[in-house]
Amino acid sequence: MVPSVRLSPATRSLFDEPLAIAVQGLGPRQQVTLRTARCPALPGGSFSGLEPMGLLWALQPQKPFRRLVKRDVQTPFLLQLEVFEGHGEPPGRILAQVQHERAFLRDGVRRVPVREGRIWAMLFLPPGEYQLWPSYPFPGIIDIHGYTGGLFEHRASLLANHGFVTLALAYFTYEDLPQEPTELHLEYFEEAVNYMLQHPQVKGPGVGLLGYSKGADLSLSMATFLKNITAIASLNGPVANTVIPLCYKDKTIPPLPIDEQQVKVIDSNILDFSKAFTDPFQAPGNQSLMPLGKAEAQLLFIVGQDDHVIKSEYHATEACKYLRAQGKENFQILSYPGTVHCIDPPFFPLYPIGKHLFPHKWAIWGGELGAYSKAQVHAWPQIQDFFNKYLNDN
């Protein structure tokens, strides 16, 4: 038999879907190397044992410290799989190859640029109406990224495939938004909530928030001070305001202080900021700490135990202790060992070292390759189940 690569689905799949890969037509005990880009999958590669999706989540950047992102979700990633004879470098002759598309938009999902009032965003609408989905109008989610600026669409586009109207919201360094803001205003985010609630395809009376890092503490602030926030999924976020002052009406919440003496130097180019933020729970009357007792929303804290940017597990645990003491039970925690600060949807490769805001240098973000992949696969459907439960029960 002539060797060939069999894929299921055959030619195209969604990025957050598993892809079955099999090489057929080989002889008994024949040694081959299966490769995508430049990441070997057998001895000398990045993982061992049976890992059906390891070829994808174990991809390594060609340049150090680079992160795999998808800027244009309207086009798929093109996956090139190759089978080579034998092991080693350079590889032997090529035996088989195949291409596959890893897409972010299911057929029928609409991507709509939003310029409404002051807000800049991208809206993703699921395909069809009640014929395809039992929950039409759809539950609405606002996706708020970390403090990196710009507009990130990969999470929002994938959520729309699963039946959520999702708004990827920019809040600085995008179009005419401030490039380097000196403060943020909660009224801007309030406009985004109102935009979603007036949309004819969004099921009310409230919306969900999916916040990552700085976007998570912004989401908690919204639940504390704004109305119509029903459910929040916090991805490795603090429970105090960070980075920049946050204003709402006549109130200003200062950012959580940074203790630069606690920054650990790993080498001349890489720092560890895991202990740099002041502990908001050990300073009585700390004005940066969110008064979460005022929040009526359901809260899902998703935290990585190896987060080196913020002590997210500690923040979530202490916040839940506080809420329980207030007689509240509107919270749950999903905690993952070996998991980095950046928790993306399934099959994005690990991003262990990234830029830190203070002082814009490379810093350890944490994480272990295999453990992080397992956390992604587990957390992603949990997020969807959480929003389906609390946004569809109203």
Side-chain angles (χ1 to χ4, degrees):
M1 293 179 63
V2 177
S4 62
V5 183
R6 180 181 178 183
L7 304 177
S8 181
T11 59
R12 184 180 174 93
S13 59
L14 292 175
F15 191 89
D16 60 349
E17 291 180 338
L19 175 65
I21 304 170
V23 181
Q24 299 178 324
L26 301 177
R29 307 185 70 84
Q30 181 178 351
Q31 292 188 343
V32 296
T33 298
L34 177 61
R35 191 176 75 180
T36 178
R38 295 193 177 184
C39 184
L42 291 176
S46 301
F47 56 88
S48 60
L50 296 175
E51 294 288 353
M53 292 294 290
L55 277 171
L56 302 184
W57 58 250
L59 285 170
Q60 302 292 319
Q62 290 185 334
K63 295 182 179 180
F65 312 153
R66 293 300 187 265
R67 177 187 177 189
L68 181 66
V69 296
K70 193 68 173 79
R71 295 295 186 183
D72 181 7
V73 298
Q74 298 174 96
T75 61
F77 278 128
L78 184 61
L79 184 64
Q80 177 83 29
L81 290 168
E82 300 168 320
V83 182
F84 295 94
E85 193 172 54
H87 300 163
E89 286 290 339
R93 68 186 180 94
I94 191 166
L95 301 177
Q97 59 183 331
V98 68
Q99 288 188 340
H100 184 86
E101 292 183 349
R102 297 284 280 170
F104 286 78
L105 298 177
R106 187 188 303 276
D107 289 345
V109 171
R110 287 185 289 156
R111 176 182 177 272
V112 182
V114 174
R115 177 62 170 121
E116 187 80 15
R118 292 179 294 177
I119 67 170
W120 286 95
M122 196 66 66
L123 184 70
F124 293 89
L125 298 166
E129 296 185 4
Y130 62 86
Q131 296 94 335
L132 295 180
W133 298 96
S135 57
Y136 183 86
F138 305 104
I141 298 171
I142 302 174
D143 181 14
I144 308 176
H145 210 266
Y147 201 77
T148 53
L151 183 62
F152 290 80
E153 303 178 20
H154 60 288
R155 277 198 314 255
S157 60
L158 291 172
L159 281 172
N161 298 324
H162 297 284
F164 299 97
V165 173
T166 314
L167 186 76
L169 182 66
Y171 56 100
F172 75 104
T173 316
Y174 186 77
E175 299 294 346
D176 65 356
L177 295 173
Q179 294 298 304
E180 295 184 6
T182 57
E183 60 188 21
L184 295 175
H185 292 265
L186 211 54
E187 286 86 351
Y188 177 83
F189 301 89
E190 190 171 29
E191 283 191 42
V193 173
N194 293 335
Y195 169 81
M196 288 290 279
L197 289 175
Q198 61 81 35
H199 196 283
Q201 292 195 37
V202 173
K203 179 181 182 179
V207 298
L209 306 177
L210 176 58
Y212 156 63
S213 192
K214 175 61 186 174
D217 78 54
L218 284 168
S219 297
L220 294 174
S221 300
M222 294 166 70
T224 300
F225 295 104
L226 306 181
K227 298 178 181 179
N228 302 316
I229 309 296
T230 302
I232 295 174
S234 166
L235 296 171
N236 276 335
V239 296
N241 183 49
T242 59
V243 184
I244 188 172
L246 179 65
C247 305
Y248 184 58
K249 297 181 178 178
D250 58 350
K251 184 178 181 63
T252 298
I253 304 172
L256 193 64
I258 292 268
D259 183 356
E260 295 185 4
Q261 300 298 318
Q262 295 296 320
V263 177
K264 183 179 179 181
V265 179
I266 304 301
D267 61 32
S268 59
N269 295 318
I270 303 175
L271 305 175
D272 186 342
F273 285 85
S274 58
K275 298 181 180 179
F277 278 106
T278 301
D279 187 341
F281 300 98
Q282 298 299 319
N286 189 302
Q287 296 182 353
S288 302
L289 189 64
M290 294 298 165
L292 288 181
K294 296 180 180 179
E296 298 298 328
Q298 293 291 324
L299 307 175
L300 173 62
F301 296 100
I302 299 175
V303 297
Q305 295 177 14
D306 198 35
D307 182 354
H308 281 250
V309 175
I310 189 78
K311 292 181 178 180
S312 51
E313 185 182 37
Y314 171 73
H315 273 240
T317 301
E318 292 299 311
C320 292
K321 288 180 182 178
Y322 168 79
L323 289 169
R324 187 174 288 112
Q326 299 289 315
K328 289 182 169 285
E329 296 291 339
N330 60 328
F331 54 85
Q332 54 186 299
I333 299 177
L334 293 176
S335 183
Y336 296 101
T339 297
V340 68
H341 178 68
C342 178
I343 302 180
D344 268 324
F347 314 126
F348 275 95
L350 177 68
Y351 184 52
I353 296 176
K355 281 290 181 72
H356 197 281
L357 296 167
F358 307 97
H360 299 285
K361 291 187 177 180
W362 293 110
I364 289 179
W365 282 31
E368 301 169 7
L369 193 61
Y372 173 61
S373 175
K374 290 179 174 62
Q376 289 175 307
V377 171
H378 185 270
W380 188 235
Q382 297 293 320
I383 291 170
Q384 296 167 47
D385 290 347
F386 171 74
F387 283 128
N388 270 319
K389 178 178 180 180
Y390 291 109
L391 298 180
N392 278 323
D393 282 352
N394 295 322

